Amino acid sequence: MSKSDIQTTPPVLTIDGPSGSGKGTVSRLLANELGWHYLDSGALYRITALAAQAAEIPFDYAETVADYALTLDIEFTSDEQGREQILVNGEDIASQVRLETTGELASQIAALPAVREALFQVQRKFAEQPGLVADGRDMGTIIFPDARCKIFLDASASERADRRYKQLKEKGVSVSLARLREEIEARDARDRGREIAPLVPADDALVLDSTAMGIDEVVDRIRQRLRSESLI
Ligand code: DC
């Protein structure tokens, strides 16, 4: 990388990990604090799965799903109360995007190479000045292998199921904890075991196990890493 590349390439912080590891919360907090852009790559897979389903394109038609994904006009924004909005071709589908069932569909569609290929450039375009926090499964390994700071955030499956259970309960959604844990484990197995872009830490990632750590501690550890890389 030449000196001018270093000056013009936006800094990227990648945060990968399984669902419920806290990476979404941590990524949003840091992106806000740093004033950097935020890429929620899982949302792109979720949106693609919902859109394909709504258009009645079977997931077996991977190329058609991939081509369709590239026609979607997607905007991440918020309403006047600060609530998340995800506009797809002008329609807010945020509440559907965040459903557990959509996470499951996204995990299925994410195993299709054609879909991953189509979303590659879409994700790369998020890297803009003054910087990007990229949250997902393969941010540090495939999408931004040259990122200056890579984190892999993990937590035990039972802790992640507990966290999700509490979140859903707060929203008034009643679910069984045992069932939630089974679903999390099944999704993990698919995301970690798939042939293409499996969920694994990049060789140069800092691996943090958040099972017994609060969000503040995790954010602190990442800030330290950003400092040691002279990114802040
Ligand atoms: O982070 P999430 O729960 O929103 O992700 C939903 C699914 O999308 C997840 O089970 C696997 C897939 N995914 C992926 O394969 N690669 C990414 N970079 C992000 C998500």
Side-chain angles (χ1 to χ4, degrees):
M1 198 181 271
S2 71
K3 201 173 169 193
S4 64
D5 278 342
I6 291 171
Q7 281 160 358
T8 53
T9 308
V12 177
L13 161 65
T14 61
I15 307 188
D16 288 305
S19 67
S21 57
K23 67 191 161 56
T25 308
V26 166
S27 300
R28 281 190 180 85
L29 273 170
L30 281 162
N32 259 333
E33 179 179 312
L34 300 167
W36 288 8
H37 301 278
Y38 171 52
L39 165 61
D40 175 357
S41 61
L44 295 177
Y45 288 95
R46 287 168 180 260
I47 292 164
T48 302
L50 284 174
Q53 201 183 41
E56 297 182 13
I57 308 171
F59 290 1
D60 298 346
Y61 291 61
E63 298 285 345
T64 314
V65 173
D67 289 346
Y68 187 56
L70 293 177
T71 68
L72 301 172
D73 177 22
I74 301 171
E75 193 188 341
F76 295 96
T77 174
S78 54
D79 67 11
E80 281 135 26
Q81 283 81 43
R83 274 187 303 250
E84 175 182 50
Q85 282 191 323
I86 299 177
L87 305 178
V88 177
N89 297 338
E91 189 194 345
D92 179 16
I93 60 163
S95 56
Q96 285 155 270
V97 168
R98 296 300 168 204
L99 292 174
E100 293 299 303
T101 45
T102 306
E104 172 59 30
L105 289 178
S107 171
Q108 289 172 25
I109 219 162
L112 305 174
V115 171
R116 301 202 77 87
E117 212 173 290
L119 293 183
F120 179 85
Q121 284 305 337
V122 175
Q123 295 172 86
R124 294 275 309 173
K125 286 196 188 125
F126 277 77
E128 283 192 52
Q129 298 291 357
L132 173 70
V133 181
D135 152 358
R137 304 290 189 289
D138 61 342
M139 299 295 100
T141 49
I142 308 282
I143 309 295
F144 300 107
D146 295 331
R148 298 264 304 280
C149 183
K150 300 180 185 178
I151 308 293
F152 189 89
L153 193 58
D154 213 342
S156 71
S158 67
E159 172 64 20
R160 289 185 285 122
D162 271 352
R163 289 177 190 169
R164 192 70 191 124
Y165 180 75
K166 281 183 199 138
Q167 274 175 358
L168 289 170
K169 224 173 153 191
E170 272 164 27
K171 282 193 201 163
V173 182
S174 91
V175 283
S176 133
L177 180 59
R179 172 99 191 270
L180 207 52
R181 182 169 169 170
E182 271 170 31
E183 283 170 5
I184 281 185
E185 284 175 343
R187 184 131 74 94
D188 277 3
R190 187 182 305 117
D191 294 346
R192 290 184 204 261
R194 69 183 172 218
E195 267 174 40
I196 182 165
L199 170 65
V200 285
D203 290 339
D204 49 350
L206 168 69
V207 179
L208 294 175
D209 184 338
S210 78
T211 307
M213 269 196 229
I215 293 290
D216 290 351
E217 199 180 335
V218 173
V219 170
D220 252 4
R221 295 284 300 274
I222 301 177
R223 270 196 215 105
Q224 279 169 26
R225 181 76 167 205
L226 289 165
R227 259 184 234 115
S228 72
E229 293 293 331
S230 308
L231 287 175
I232 56 172

